[in-house]
Amino acid sequence: MDYMEQALSLAKLALGQVSPNPAVGTVVVKDDVIVGQGYTQPPGSEHAEVVALKQAGEQARGSVMYVTLEPCCCYGRTPPCTQAIIAAGIGEVYLAMLDPNPLVSGRGKEELEKEGIKTYVGEHAVKAEEVNEAYIKFITSGMPFVTAKFAVSLDGKIATKSGDSKWISGEMARKQVHGLRYTADAIMAGINTVLADDPHLTTRCGVKGGTARKQPLRVIVDGKGRTPLTARVFSEPGKTLVALGRMVKPEEKAAFAQVGAELLELPSAEGLVDLKKLLKVLGEREITSVLVEGGGILLGSLFDDGLVDKVVAFIAPIIIGGNETKTAIGGKGVDKVVDSIKLKRVSVERLGEDIMVSGYVEE
């Protein structure tokens, strides 16, 4: 059995529930038998290593631990995991990757080695980095990881000439989108998307008792302040932030407060919100990941400003046509194909009749 692969599977179970902490999975093995396993619990609760060690109990002594991220060695909301590993008598530790957090990076490994615990680094490192891609960017830059998501027809359209867009993608693709929302700290959409589609911007994943355990923060980018108080985003569970590109009148603040919305005034140019400033503010609030769901103006501006980290595109086998129908990405674009934004580590997956293409923006 691939024990690190099992640890990675466990780590994925923590995504969407533990931010701003990393999602970590741990497996404890003795005599080729798994005696303990666990994944990161919500902030303030136990880390993956401690969950696995408690399950292993006395069998942890002399066993081997597989963990997807270097154990912490400093006090935060919880004691250092390195101390728990040492106290449990673990003999060897396999680390998929070192923690990029400057407070930890390499120190957790050194602390274990000082106590005579053998450590090995690098098994399934790329997969481990993908699990914690948002955490890695946030902890090293203070900025959230931005994923641009869109669904298009085979000829690149996001709606018909009348504005109808339900549904371009099929049921399996839409289910995948709810999974993306579940693992994101925030979902961002532009005002035109809100006015045209009146979306819920919620996730149906992780549902307990009729509602999801956690709904991402909804962020509406509205340069001129046109968001209607009757928009669905204000009646859904969770919080909504409206980012405005102008000063807000006291009566407007009071009206939005009544529907539970928070207003954020930001610098703007030509009616467009300063998106880099917006992302910086979100980072300061410990929002580590943002899923951007449109529309074309917002996505185009993010690409123009070099703020997109990852792209997830759903392509449906339909033709919409029309000279005036909208495409997924607006903005300034590029003058020459050679200057196009390129993706690396591209993956392609079939979802029913649709195709999902994902990749990372080349720097």
Side-chain angles (χ1 to χ4, degrees), residues 167-186:
W167 296 98
I168 285 179
S169 53
E171 188 177 340
M172 286 184 68
R174 296 199 297 275
K175 186 176 180 181
Q176 184 81 6
V177 170
H178 279 281
L180 292 173
R181 290 177 178 178
Y182 180 73
T183 58
D185 288 346

Side-chain angles (χ1 to χ4, degrees), residues 146-207:
V146 177
T147 299
K149 166 259 161 185
F150 50 88
V152 295
S153 62
L154 203 56
D155 55 336
K157 309 298 185 180
I158 60 171
T160 66
K161 59 185 177 183
S162 67
D164 179 52
S165 61
K166 293 185 178 179
W167 296 98
I168 285 179
S169 53
E171 188 177 340
M172 286 184 68
R174 296 199 297 275
K175 186 176 180 181
Q176 184 81 6
V177 170
H178 279 281
L180 292 173
R181 290 177 178 178
Y182 180 73
T183 58
D185 288 346
I187 302 171
M188 185 182 290
I191 178 58
N192 289 333
T193 297
V194 173
L195 293 174
D197 301 335
D198 197 15
H200 296 274
L201 300 182
T202 56
T203 178
R204 291 195 291 268
C205 293
V207 171

